[in-house]
Amino acid sequence: MTRRLRGAVALLAVAVLLGCTATSEAGPGGPPAAPSAVPAPRPPDVDLTILPARQVAPTPGMRLAEGLSPPTNRWFSALALGDAPQPVFPLPLAVALTATGFGVGVPQVTTTATGVFGPYAPQLTVDVGGRDPEVSAYDAASVTMDLGTGALTVVEGSPVLHWTAANPGAARFDTPFEPGGPAGSAVAAVGGRTWLLLATDPDGAPAAPALAADGRSADVPAGGGLAWLALPDGVAAGSAAARTLADAAAHPPAPTTLRWAVSAGTATTELDLGAPTAVVRLPHQATLAPADDLDCDGLGAYATVLGAATACAGRTAAWSVPAVAVDATLDVAALPEAERAELADAVTADTERLAGDAAPAYPADTYFGGKALARDAHLLTLATALGLDEPAARLRERLGAELRLRAEPDGCARRAERCFVLDPVLATVVGLPAGFGSEEGNDHHFHDGYLLEAAALAAADDAAHGDGTLAAALAPVADLLAADVAAAGPVPAGDGPAIPALRTFDAFAGHSWASGYAPFADGNNQESSSEAVAAWHGLALWASVRDDAALGDEARWLLASEAASARAYWLEPDGGPTSFASLVWGGKRERATWFSPAPSAALGIQVLPVTPSSGYLAGPEGTPPDGGARVRANLAEALGVAPADLWADPSAWDIPFGDQLLAYAALAGPDDAAHAAALLRELPDERIDDGSTRAWLLAWAMTRAAGG
């Protein structure tokens, strides 16, 4: 195996209508890659029938039209899954179903000592005589609910709700509207917010709403529609901005199409909204791509929990983020001889502890087991790079045996753990024993990312130092794990629902969602942004082993997108009471974790696992653009010290996640990295995370101190 396993410059782009494809070409420093539609890819070449079919836990409720794949891990999952529908947050709006219709509002954003909050609070409630709601369609950025009397369509990022009547009838409102708004609309003011009511006839042409005399209802013909547009903060109905947005919002929604592209320096996302409409641009979408046709000049903005969202009108939103390098290991060969010798001793000691005669068994579940496998795979790359033949051989044997065991397709037919099943109801691959709610779809990208990285590193090593059979042995199951979280298009699953495209990743938000059902009033959430980034790093390495260019391009797009949003909303949020956040929800961004109140844990969970791609934590180029000031500020807040005093008291780092914080500190600059290396040498063993080793963290700090 080469010391560095870099992916080739990605010139082919893959895209989805939850699935369509795209191609682009741009060299380093060139313009952002511009997606353009080409024939849709065929689904991944995987066979789901090789796994035993078993529902690990019953699904509590499902409001989903026949034939649709259960939409776990989406911003709207709670509309379709769980005991009762919960509010959803297609920013800038928040929407919830009622017994006979729906409510909608623009959340009022408030700040406390621990976070930024924008809960669902309806400003309008609409009664359409609905009953038995179910999700009838969804795509890249929209979801449609069949309410029995018609269809409600919600588009992520749009300040507009659209209702299409199945039969002639009336929609009733709790707030009266008055005629006289722009584009023939009616107007209502609620709590300082101006709302416009627009209408379309059965042919989709704009029409004036057929308001009742009291303004509290409007008649709608069969096939006709109503749309509710929330104007931006402080924008009045008579303004030019309101006219522009109203003209755009009148168009009935069409299916949204996602395309992506990667080049040597950028990753580009493009969302075609199907027709000109009103939409917002979130903070991470600031760098525009050539395909973007939005008009955002002078249209105002909405306050959201993620920051100001700029109001725009148009059909195609596109933006670019910096690419993230994909390396398999750290460049320890470039270190001074004395440091290489020190690392060799550390690798030997860690290998004895983890792969010696008294080594503990790997955890059986996919999360802790996956972390341990990736940990040992990192250690193997160091042993190989340092020429440590005996430790490398021991790690190679232990890793290979465990990975082969877990990759037995029929393993769960013969044992209760270290194996995988296909849940035929949720259309997802579940590892046994399940953990952290993985039987409900929770955290699959975290778990599978660790396993894919371990499989990729071990298989690449086996190709160079073994018999070359490991990749083929692991591929049938590892390919299924990749498809489970990141299939470019739906994957048929026999008689059951297909694995959906991009199960966990939200292209508009630029990040993943961790909860399968999202049974929360604050929407879906993700805590460990760094484990999500690591998942796509592992996917990219596996794509290289499989020589799958399309999967590699997709993985690099996911990696760059997730990294950019991790910086924008978790590590470097704009505004709010804290320097960093640890949980981002649809309806709030807060300093809290599921497992610990310690500020060090809140930052540490945004760092682990340290991979060769973790430079993104400091900045888009892998180095801090501000001289490390933001890294030091985050650390100071986590440790409860002043930024200038980070290194004054070594005992301050003897805290939960202290090892991860030292790894993060090494990103602030070479001097900080040297301080981190010195403390990592002395950190108590119990402070080293079970997904890492002292040798790996020391190698990370040493290479950063050397400018690597």
Side-chain angles (χ1 to χ4, degrees), residues 17 32 69 139 196 216 219 246 269 526 569:
L17 163 61
S69 298
D139 53 39
L196 302 183
R216 291 183 178 272
D219 290 330
T269 303
Q526 181 161 267
Y569 305 128

Side-chain angles (χ1 to χ4, degrees), residues 327-356:
D327 292 332
T329 194
L330 304 172
D331 192 8
V332 295
L335 294 173
E337 182 178 351
E339 291 189 349
R340 292 200 308 274
E342 181 185 2
L343 271 183
D345 289 343
V347 169
T348 300
D350 280 328
T351 301
E352 176 60 32
R353 177 173 59 87
L354 297 171

Side-chain angles (χ1 to χ4, degrees), residues 31-105:
S36 58
V38 297
R42 61 186 180 85
D45 186 16
V46 295
D47 181 6
L48 290 164
T49 65
I50 66 173
L51 298 179
R54 184 186 312 170
Q55 190 175 17
V56 180
T59 304
M62 196 173 291
R63 297 167 294 281
L64 192 65
E66 186 175 355
L68 288 183
S69 298
T72 67
N73 307 91
R74 309 279 178 167
W75 59 271
F76 62 86
S77 293
L79 294 178
L81 305 171
D83 291 329
Q86 296 287 341
V88 296
F89 295 82
L91 300 180
L93 301 181
V95 180
L97 298 179
T98 66
T100 57
F102 49 89
V104 60

Side-chain angles (χ1 to χ4, degrees), residues 177-272:
F177 282 82
E178 297 180 357
S185 65
V187 184
V190 187
R193 174 78 52 187
T194 299
W195 287 82
L196 302 183
L197 173 65
L198 302 108
T200 53
D201 65 22
D203 295 324
L211 282 175
D214 63 0
R216 291 183 178 272
S217 67
D219 290 330
V220 192
L226 296 175
W228 293 264
L229 165 65
L231 291 181
D233 300 342
V235 172
S239 66
R243 289 193 295 274
T244 298
L245 292 169
D247 286 341
H251 295 278
T256 64
T257 304
L258 167 66
R259 303 184 183 95
W260 64 77
V262 287
S263 71
T266 61
T268 297
T269 303
E270 177 188 307
L271 274 168
D272 183 337

